[in-house]
Amino acid sequence: MKFCSIAMLTLFALMGGAGCGGEDVSGRDVPTPSPVGGNEPTYYEDIAPLVNRECAGCHRVGGIGRFSLSDPTVAQQMAGAAAAATEARRMPPMPVSNDGTCNTYKNAHWLSDEEIDLFRRWSAAGAPLGDPAAAPPPPEDSTLKLTGELAQFDIGVDYTPQPHPGELDDYRCFMVDPGIHADTFITGYDIQPGESRVVHHVALFELADGEADAEAAALDAAEAGPGYTCFGGVGVGRVELLAIWVPGAGANAFPEGTGIRYAAGRKLVVQMHYNVPPVGGPFVDRSKIQLQLSGDAALTRGFYIDISVADISLPPGQQLVEVKSELALSAMHPSFADPAFKGLRVWGALPHMHYLGHTQRTVAKVDGVDVCFTDVDRWNFHWQNLWWYEAPLELKGADILSITCGFDTRSRTETTKYGEGSNDEMCFNLLYTTIR
Ligand code: HEC
């Protein structure tokens, strides 16, 4: 009998237990370990350092990852699944390719082929633990900390996420006043999840004016309970994405010397994606948000440009339907067509599609030559992020940007259109840029 299934493990981990270890259960799922012959990877020596670097941000007790890979017994039980998930590059989650064929990213979570092979060989060898004396020191917290002037606030209520029956996800928007009373730059941000077992990602949107505030307030008022349901966007016309946060990464900073301008008195919509385990709880969240502010007039203003396809109409039942659009940078804003315009420096990219999205490629024609900006080869709506280029890219007014999104519509029986809802689709890439 398979006593220690993944479901059991999840349950144990959720209940704060040490996993499926112990005399009576341990080993039942694990192939009989062969004697460690010297060359076989072991948990303490080979796997634990990788877990510390690439997995433990989420797969720790109380984390969003549901089971703790820092627990040797749990890691052993999950060895086969970890080998399969890393081999498929499903884990660590990074939908944007970081293999060097289309840029590499500072905040990548990416295993080398050798590291993937380590997980495979470790599992194949029966997941030996090895010598505890070889265990790496506990990971240092190398995540960024915000400094200086901070705006600190929370989502305003204790919220218990309520996915529809049979579903795990609840997307909820809360309108908040960050209490920023002077024009400023936002140079970094952080989220402290109130209940880290369910906070899957968080996006912050700035409402453009009083009218936009009223629209968001009306959406909130129209729905029972705190906040309102939202999925891709926040349901309001004049709103701008400020930032996005995913678990395990710590605080985020915009590139050194840059920041996003924020007007005094503006309000925000905080979009929470909750992913709620079917067991355990109660899960009550009151996530905290911190914005790092700077009044430094010498900062360079950062902003997003948007390359997107608005005309989406996807026939059902297709393995791959592609949509594409092209736009000269000079057509995006009048100032980009000015002969004096020197061009943009591109620091990061935030690709976006919904559930049917599968691939996305952004390319710029620079002096007639194709330059790859981002290559998404296994989109997953659950793992969107703002990815920072290891080496910033450049664009000139004459360059032409193009985006191609690939969708898999086999799950649909009707045409899928452009829209913000979870049954609609989108195709865009936001590039964080500064003027050169
Ligand atoms: C950013 C958070 C995060 C990181 C980092 C992460 N995981 Fe996960 N992992 C999750 C979440 C959340 C789930 C639950 C299923 C889902 O949402 O995809 C999961 C599920 C899994 C699963 C079971 C489901 C599957 O896809 O097979 C395995 C195995 C796994 N992770 C292994 C790993 C390993 C190994 C690493 C490091 C090399 C890692 N994960 C890094 C968040 C993370």
Side-chain angles (χ1 to χ4, degrees):
M1 186 187 78
K2 277 206 161 198
F3 187 77
C4 189
S5 65
I6 293 182
M8 283 289 295
L9 267 176
T10 307
L11 194 62
F12 271 97
L14 285 170
M15 297 188 319
C20 270
E23 290 302 327
D24 43 351
V25 291
S26 101
R28 294 199 186 186
D29 266 4
V30 183
T32 316
S34 43
V36 179
N39 279 335
E40 282 161 355
T42 66
Y43 178 78
Y44 287 114
E45 205 166 338
D46 305 285
I47 299 299
L50 288 179
V51 163
N52 284 349
R53 195 189 81 207
E54 296 289 352
C55 321
C58 299
H59 292 285
R60 56 185 167 77
V61 173
I64 187 77
R66 307 285 166 82
F67 51 89
S68 170
L69 290 171
S70 304
D71 178 327
T73 317
V74 176
Q76 210 168 31
Q77 299 288 345
M78 294 304 285
T86 51
E87 163 94 68
R89 289 204 179 278
R90 212 164 48 238
M91 290 286 152
M94 178 158 184
V96 177
S97 168
N98 188 62
D99 65 6
T101 55
C102 180
N103 302 305
T104 52
Y105 300 85
K106 283 185 182 160
N107 54 341
H109 279 286
W110 190 261
L111 297 174
S112 67
D113 291 345
E114 292 73 30
E115 290 165 341
I116 289 175
D117 199 50
L118 268 183
F119 274 102
R120 186 192 59 76
R121 289 195 289 124
W122 181 59
S123 168
L129 292 181
D131 181 1
E140 276 175 44
D141 183 3
S142 59
T143 56
L144 183 80
K145 298 286 171 292
L146 299 180
T147 53
E149 193 190 341
L150 301 178
Q152 309 195 60
F153 48 97
D154 63 29
I155 58 171
V157 283
D158 290 338
Y159 181 66
T160 305
Q162 271 150 4
H164 290 297
E167 292 177 12
L168 302 178
D169 299 302
D170 180 7
Y171 300 92
R172 199 84 183 166
C173 277
F174 301 94
M175 186 179 166
V176 296
D177 182 351
I180 296 176
H181 303 300
D183 290 355
T184 187
F185 282 102
I186 293 179
T187 54
Y189 57 94
D190 196 9
I191 307 287
Q192 271 111 35
E195 173 49 274
S196 45
R197 291 175 296 174
V198 299
V199 177
H200 199 296
H201 81 253
V202 182
L204 305 175
F205 294 82
E206 181 187 349
L207 293 163
D209 50 29
E211 214 176 293
D213 292 358
E215 271 183 62
L219 287 169
D220 191 335
E223 221 174 291
Y228 63 95
T229 303
C230 56
F231 175 74
V234 299
V236 175
R238 280 187 321 292
V239 74
E240 280 198 33
L241 183 85
L242 201 64
I244 194 160
W245 178 93
V246 289
N252 287 280
F254 291 107
E256 186 73 33
T258 79
I260 291 191
R261 230 160 34 198
Y262 198 89
R266 293 273 55 86
K267 299 210 171 60
L268 283 174
V269 174
V270 182
Q271 183 191 49
M272 303 292 303
H273 169 197
Y274 295 107
N275 183 258
V276 185
V279 290
F283 302 103
V284 184
D285 178 58
R286 188 170 189 135
S287 288
K288 294 196 181 93
I289 296 111
Q290 293 185 320
L291 302 177
Q292 179 177 271
L293 310 180
S294 171
D296 183 353
L299 282 178
T300 304
R301 183 185 162 209
F303 56 93
Y304 298 99
I305 59 167
D306 170 1
I307 171 83
S308 60
V309 185
D311 184 18
I312 295 181
S313 177
L314 310 171
Q318 310 284 312
Q319 187 169 351
L320 182 68
V321 192
E322 286 195 335
V323 299
K324 183 175 178 178
S325 82
E326 254 185 17
L327 190 64
L329 194 64
S330 58
M332 277 189 195
H333 193 270
S335 67
F336 297 169
D338 189 324
F341 174 63
K342 287 217 189 68
L344 297 177
R345 182 153 293 138
V346 184
W347 301 88
L350 194 166
H352 183 78
M353 294 180 279
H354 293 174
Y355 288 144
L356 304 183
H358 183 54
T359 53
Q360 188 192 88
R361 200 173 158 82
T362 303
V363 174
K365 224 175 234 333
V366 177
D367 300 327
V369 177
D370 280 350
V371 176
C372 191
F373 270 57
T374 51
D375 182 19
V376 176
D377 54 0
R378 71 202 87 85
W379 176 252
N380 182 334
F381 181 81
H382 279 175
W383 296 114
Q384 25 193 335
N385 202 359
L386 177 47
W387 306 101
W388 296 114
Y389 292 117
E390 204 100 56
L393 297 160
E394 294 189 347
L395 283 171
K396 293 189 297 302
D399 297 343
I400 296 168
L401 276 164
S402 73
I403 185 168
T404 310
C405 292
F407 299 93
D408 179 342
T409 62
R410 284 175 295 179
S411 60
R412 298 285 164 90
T413 50
E414 317 252 312
T415 302
T416 303
K417 299 273 197 187
Y418 173 90
E420 275 192 5
S422 56
N423 287 322
D424 307 324
E425 271 302 332
M426 285 201 167
C427 163
F428 69 73
N429 195 1
L430 294 182
L431 302 175
Y432 181 85
T433 64
T434 51
I435 291 177
R436 276 158 67 195

